[in-house]
Amino acid sequence: MTGCRVEQGGLIDRTRALSFSFDGMTYQGFEGDTIASALLAAGVRIFGRSFKYHRPRGLWGAWFDDPNAIVDIRLGGIDYPNCQAATTRLTEGMQVRAVNAWPNACRDVNGVLDLAHRFLPAGFYYKMFMWPDWHLFEPTIRKMAGLGTLSLDVQDGFQSAILHDHCDTLVIGGGVAGLTAARAAAEAGRSVLLVDDHPAPGGALYCNQHGNDSQLWVKAQIAAIRTAGGRILCNTTAVGVYDHQFVSVATDRGMGHAPIVRKLRPARIILATGAIDRPVTFANNDRPGVMSLGAATEFLGRYGVLAGQEIVVLSNRPETYTAIEDLRAAGAAVTRFDPTSAANAIGGRVVKAVKLDGRTYACDTILTSAGLTPLIHLWRHAGGKLEWDNGRQTFVPAEGPDWMRVVGAANGTFSQEAAMTEARHAALDQPAPTRGVYHLPPSLADPTASGRQWIDLQHDVTLKDVALAHRENMVSVEHLKRYTTLGMAGDQGKTSNISGLSAMAHLKGETIPETGTTTFRPPFVPIPLEAYRGARRDRQMAPLKRLTLEPEHRALDAALGEYGGWLRPAWYGGDGERAAVERECRMAREAAAIMDASALGAIEVIGPDARTFVNFIYYNTMSNLKSGRIRYGFMLAESGLVFDDGVLACIDDNRFVISCSSSHADAVMAHLEHWRQDRFDPMRVHIHDTTQNWSTVTIAGPKAKAIVAGLGVLDSLDDFPHMSLRLCTFEGAPARVARVSFTGDTSFEVSVQNISASALWNKAIAIGAPLGAGPVGVEALTVLRAEKGYVLVGKDTDGETMPHDLGFAAPRLRKTAAFVGDRSLHSDTANRADRKSLVGLTVGPLEDPLPIGAHVVETSGSDGGIKSIGYITSSYHSPTLGQPVALALVCGGAEAMGQRVDIWHMGQTRFAAIASPCAFDPEGARIDA
């Protein structure tokens, strides 16, 4: 046996045994174990297979620094892919399987790939499979790529959460430095949050055997922090630092528990993330049984697990002797040597011995350390710089943001007393003490040494791969990273960075600082995608908006559907969609349509600069809009493209109401807020989304005036021209009436507060019924607006449409005041003669409607090929006209009225004629009828 459980010690509960399986075999561990510690205690050495060559892989680290032990887990009927065995807490009944191995980690049939390693160096797939055709190899390569198995079953009951938290001082890391800093800050009256990724704080204290002294000290610090009002979150990892001091921390990022992501913007961050062992590079240093010195002492101190019985230590750290004493006290035979690249691990699938200076030493475990590497990933996320410390043989923090302080081993301060002093200074905003002297003999990677020396264990990157990248002129460390996959995925340079950089520096004849470092990016450790999503899924991601009048629509047998994020009536009655739409269209043209328009955006702009603001926001001139008047207009993006359309109503000089598309209301609100903060004084312009405060009933048609007159909202309709607004009351409650039309007929929009909506709707229906009017749904409305050539932004426009493409060219030429998108309207692209413009298309009255999406084509070239010059955006049968109507975007369409064009769809060709977009009442006589 190699690994074993010692009789006492550790933070595990030996009274609670847990049963689990690994690759089909049953094992036991204890409460407080990780999967890795339980398997190591049971003597398991091979935990998985490497990504490319499928070489056996054992444990290297004891926590997130381990790149090897990645497993798939099934627990409680839920599958969890790609879990780190070293950080995943053991749970009763776990079914664990190694990834990238079949049938199991010990006997992997794909292990034969290692025999062909000479033909599979770094970048081989960029070259080898290009000839004769990449697609011949692609299916097999893609099938072999990736780690872990993703279940296709829908998993219920695993709900993560995203919370917003706050603190004045965020301390990341619960070791000696972190606990000291958190206590000092809390006792100074600061609002403190300490996060630590282990189940219990203490950090590297548990890597050394000091009896109960360490645990007692940790408990005292925790008690003092909480007494002073500080908070402590365990099992919580800071995964990234982003712009504006935004920090993301994840609790329970392992499987078995729903992860919680907290978003914080603390005023100060104290980084006390510690340091990890740097590997020693030598031949076959990837064999299971080669482990970091720090991992062995952590397994012993936290879990009571001895990594091996016969141990060889290759380390140049001053702290090595303390670790050796602890290992010997636990019963291991330990021999120490200085680290050297001339070493060679002996053994087939696991370590059996090590060869040093021509002599062979039997062993079952090789513990290595070429020094400590500070964990400064979060410092780099925040924009902090690094400098090379020759004495420590590593990078340490240099210049950086003044709101983040790095203390303890993360700052290269490896002395416990010095780390505590440094932490207190940081907590109290005192100047940082000078970093102490520390001397470490160099033990850097030598790419000229013999044998296969591994620097990225997960991705099978060797020093020879680095040498190959250098020969192929990959002179940048970022090129090296991408060409060899060095430091990618979960490792993110934790174990491989210094070795890879030292090898590149050696080959280029430079120092490591001259070679530089790669970029560290969030997340610091892998976390489940579920944690990013949180509750934002299905209807929680985009909640379906509901109308106040929904019960009334259901009572009228409405077929409800989603339109622009709202549940709205599509049509009424049980006679089917086609019959209902035709009936409603005729009713709207012959009598009146009564429609629920509450979903249209209603955004109020208020303030002394409101008039200037809306004039800047709109393409059309709005500065001269008078009180009580309404004007149609476009909003543009900075690119000059149509962003939204709608009407603007002026209540008075300081108050306007923007009516926008129902599906765009949220985006328009964000658009307005963006420009308010960018260009205007926020104290002089205020924006309020009142869409869901009001309900609107639209009455449109030849008999609309009679119905509105019966509602009693206005004393008279005689002096109420089109595009006007009146403030009034309905049954004693506030109301607004707007004369605007989306159907081309006389139309009134009556808006009331939601409490009055039901009474307004029912009264309109009751008055309209004897006149032949009734409820009309969205589907009939789209036909009515297409007959008039009214556009729906996003349907009748595309990602290239500008307002002059829709026939609105005057503001581009005449408006002198600045507005959003103005410059873009005068670019070469905007002035091309072949731009797609909005047109109508006509076909014979007995023909079927043209297919939406069908292409308008012309013959191209001598071979008779066809070329698309546009496409159909809207197309319906018009019951009013007795024939199909269609809208299309066609290149040069505005200058081609009356011309016949070919329509191509799904291999079939039809013919149509280009016409004006307005097919019904082109004179507009019915609007004021």
Side-chain angles (χ1 to χ4, degrees), residues 335-476:
T335 307
R336 177 190 174 276
F337 298 94
D338 288 330
T340 171
S341 59
N344 190 347
I346 307 299
R349 290 186 299 159
V350 297
V351 167
K352 300 294 185 182
V354 61
K355 189 174 182 179
L356 287 161
D357 300 324
R359 295 185 60 184
T360 301
Y361 301 88
C363 62
D364 57 35
T365 303
I366 302 174
L367 303 181
T368 74
S369 176
L372 291 172
T373 300
L375 292 170
I376 38 71
H377 292 65
L378 299 175
W379 174 254
R380 294 288 287 132
H381 293 176
K385 306 298 183 183
L386 302 178
E387 63 183 6
W388 178 259
D389 188 304
N390 205 51
R392 290 167 173 79
Q393 289 290 297
T394 190
F395 286 101
V396 294
E399 180 186 353
D402 56 6
W403 45 267
M404 180 180 283
R405 293 279 291 271
V406 189
V407 298
N411 195 40
T413 304
F414 303 135
S415 162
Q416 183 171 312
E417 290 299 324
M420 295 172 70
T421 301
E422 197 171 64
R424 292 190 193 98
H425 280 245
L428 302 176
D429 289 327
Q430 296 173 351
T434 303
R435 193 183 289 123
V437 177
Y438 188 93
H439 179 69
L440 189 72
S443 177
L444 301 175
D446 181 4
T448 64
S450 60
R452 296 165 75 190
Q453 303 179 65
W454 306 84
I455 51 176
D456 189 316
L457 300 174
Q458 189 177 100
H459 291 100
D460 284 324
V461 180
T462 68
L463 290 185
K464 290 185 178 180
D465 292 323
V466 177
L468 176 62
H470 176 258
R471 289 198 304 272
E472 300 203 357
N473 204 33
M474 302 295 167
V475 294
S476 165

Side-chain angles (χ1 to χ4, degrees), residues 599-623:
L600 291 174
I603 300 173
E604 295 199 17
V605 181
I606 304 170
D609 290 345
R611 182 175 293 276
T612 305
F613 177 78
V614 295
N615 195 54
F616 176 75
I617 287 295
Y618 275 94
Y619 167 66
N620 313 66
T621 297
M622 298 296 184
S623 58

Side-chain angles (χ1 to χ4, degrees), residues 674-820:
H674 168 79
W675 286 109
R676 181 181 83 103
Q677 295 185 31
D678 179 85
R679 188 180 175 95
F680 292 84
D681 183 350
M683 299 303 295
R684 295 179 60 84
V685 181
H686 300 275
I687 303 169
H688 300 283
D689 186 355
T690 62
T691 304
Q692 299 197 43
N693 295 34
W694 296 79
S695 290
T696 299
V697 175
T698 297
I699 304 163
K703 299 180 181 179
K705 280 188 177 181
I707 298 173
V708 174
L711 293 177
V713 291
L714 293 170
D715 294 334
S716 173
L717 296 178
D718 293 337
D719 186 23
F720 194 0
H722 183 56
M723 301 301 279
S724 298
L725 176 71
R726 296 288 183 269
L727 302 183
C728 50
T729 60
F730 173 73
E731 297 184 352
R736 293 195 300 243
V737 181
R739 275 288 316 267
V740 292
S741 179
F742 196 57
T743 65
D745 278 304
T746 302
S747 180
F748 300 84
E749 292 184 358
V750 184
S751 298
V752 295
Q753 295 175 342
N754 290 333
I755 195 171
S756 304
S758 178
L760 175 65
W761 174 266
N762 290 329
K763 191 171 183 179
I765 293 292
I767 296 172
L771 301 175
V776 169
V778 175
E779 293 299 325
L781 177 61
T782 59
V783 178
L784 298 173
R785 65 94 196 168
E787 292 173 347
K788 287 293 296 180
Y790 294 158
V791 299
L792 279 178
V793 174
K795 179 177 176 64
D796 298 306
T797 63
D798 61 15
E800 298 179 347
T801 305
M802 292 182 170
H804 51 281
D805 301 327
L806 303 175
F808 292 84
R812 181 172 76 125
L813 304 175
R814 298 176 185 172
K815 186 174 181 181
T816 58
F819 59 91
V820 178

